Amino acid sequence: MNRIDLHGIGMTSQRTRERLIQRLVDQGVSDMAVLDVMRTTPRHLFLDEAMAHRAYEDVALPIGFQQTLSQPYVVARMTELLLAAGPRSRVLEVGTGSGYQTAILAQLVDEVYSVERIKSLQQKARQRLRTLKLRNVHMNHADGAMGWEECGPFDGILVTAAPEQIPEDLLLQLSTGGRMVIPVGGEYQHLQVVTRTHEGYETDIVEAVYFVPLCSGKEK
Ligand code: SAH
């Protein structure tokens, strides 16, 4: 686990960020550790300059390559669902994107293994996490639908792009007692929480969401 040293990082006004946190609370986010980390993580650093002024609005924002940085509410909700059954030690994230969700996770779990299929996004994310000195993040340029077998099994898996069906490899790389939070569907998607038990898998359907699709293969 890791905390960001805010010294020297230009921050948008405290009031703007406090307003965002209040909005998350109003929408039902209640995990104080998650809210704390979202309060202190500089979301504007995860956006290109042209978008940075909108960083503390509760909206998804473009990061290039037709991809988006998830809406803060969705990041908070998915993170609290992942942690709801107790602390997680090794977490696989599929879809690094800007690296913002990665940064949130890195401050709440022991080790984060993050897979991204678009190399340029991964490189920018790596740089940002380095700036924030979050050193418990491991990155892989690969098709995350296959998970990251060498580093598994994982007691947490968080997927930030939506498959039509949950990839088999992700289910297999979940340890017993492990939890996966994943959006599933095409035009209509639902957030699902999958728990691996001794007997098999249990699935809870949480709420409607909208994510970019989980694509196969990898790109420069
Ligand atoms: N958590 C990110 C979300 C980015 S959008 C953020 O908040 O910034 C989803 C990301 O998933 C994109 O970067 C996209 O390139 C990536 N992605 C889509 N399919 C993937 C796959 N099969 N493997 C790895 N990454 C994938």
Side-chain angles (χ1 to χ4, degrees):
M1 258 166 274
N2 230 310
R3 287 287 155 140
I4 291 176
D5 175 8
L6 292 173
H7 185 74
I9 296 172
M11 294 290 278
T12 312
S13 84
Q14 189 67 28
R15 194 147 50 93
T16 310
R17 287 182 301 121
E18 229 19 88
R19 209 182 297 134
L20 172 62
I21 300 305
Q22 189 54 49
R23 208 186 131 96
L24 301 180
V25 171
D26 293 344
Q27 290 177 97
V29 177
S30 62
D31 184 321
M32 290 310 284
V34 172
L35 289 168
D36 252 8
V37 161
M38 297 225 13
R39 182 180 285 114
T40 55
T41 303
R43 190 169 183 255
H44 63 278
L45 295 189
F46 293 83
L47 290 160
D48 292 333
E49 230 165 279
M51 279 294 149
H53 68 289
R54 301 196 59 192
Y56 299 94
E57 294 175 27
D58 189 21
V59 291
L61 293 167
I63 54 171
F65 306 88
Q66 297 173 317
Q67 305 303 323
T68 54
L69 196 172
S70 305
Q71 181 192 350
Y73 167 72
V74 172
V75 172
R77 187 78 182 112
M78 289 177 83
T79 309
E80 96 175 341
L81 287 167
L82 188 78
L83 302 175
R88 302 289 117 177
S89 162
R90 300 168 68 80
V91 173
L92 172 69
E93 178 190 40
V94 177
T96 315
S98 67
Y100 177 70
Q101 170 80 70
T102 324
I104 300 295
L105 286 173
Q107 297 170 81
L108 293 163
V109 308
D110 294 337
E111 301 293 329
V112 181
Y113 297 83
S114 189
V115 184
E116 170 57 56
R117 64 181 286 279
I118 301 177
K119 186 85 183 171
S120 331
L121 287 177
Q122 186 196 37
Q123 282 168 338
K124 280 198 211 175
R126 191 192 294 281
Q127 193 51 51
R128 291 168 180 140
L129 296 167
R130 198 172 288 156
T131 303
L132 296 175
K133 300 191 171 65
L134 294 171
R135 299 198 179 88
N136 55 339
V137 176
H138 314 271
M139 289 190 171
N140 194 11
H141 177 223
D143 179 350
M146 295 185 277
W148 190 347
E149 201 178 4
E150 305 89 282
C151 298
F154 303 97
D155 59 358
I157 298 182
L158 193 148
V159 183
T160 67
E164 296 269 355
Q165 283 183 345
I166 301 181
E168 178 90 29
D169 285 321
L170 296 184
L171 290 168
L172 293 173
Q173 288 171 35
L174 204 57
S175 60
T176 304
R179 271 164 90 79
M180 169 157 46
V181 181
I182 181 169
V184 183
E187 195 180 343
Y188 300 100
Q189 303 167 5
H190 283 94
L191 205 54
Q192 300 192 2
V193 176
V194 181
T195 308
R196 187 168 191 173
T197 66
H198 287 289
E199 290 76 38
Y201 297 89
E202 280 169 12
T203 303
D204 285 321
I205 294 178
V206 183
E207 61 193 61
V209 281
Y210 189 72
F211 277 83
V212 295
L214 188 77
C215 302
S216 53
K218 51 182 183 173
E219 286 181 24
K220 285 188 184 163

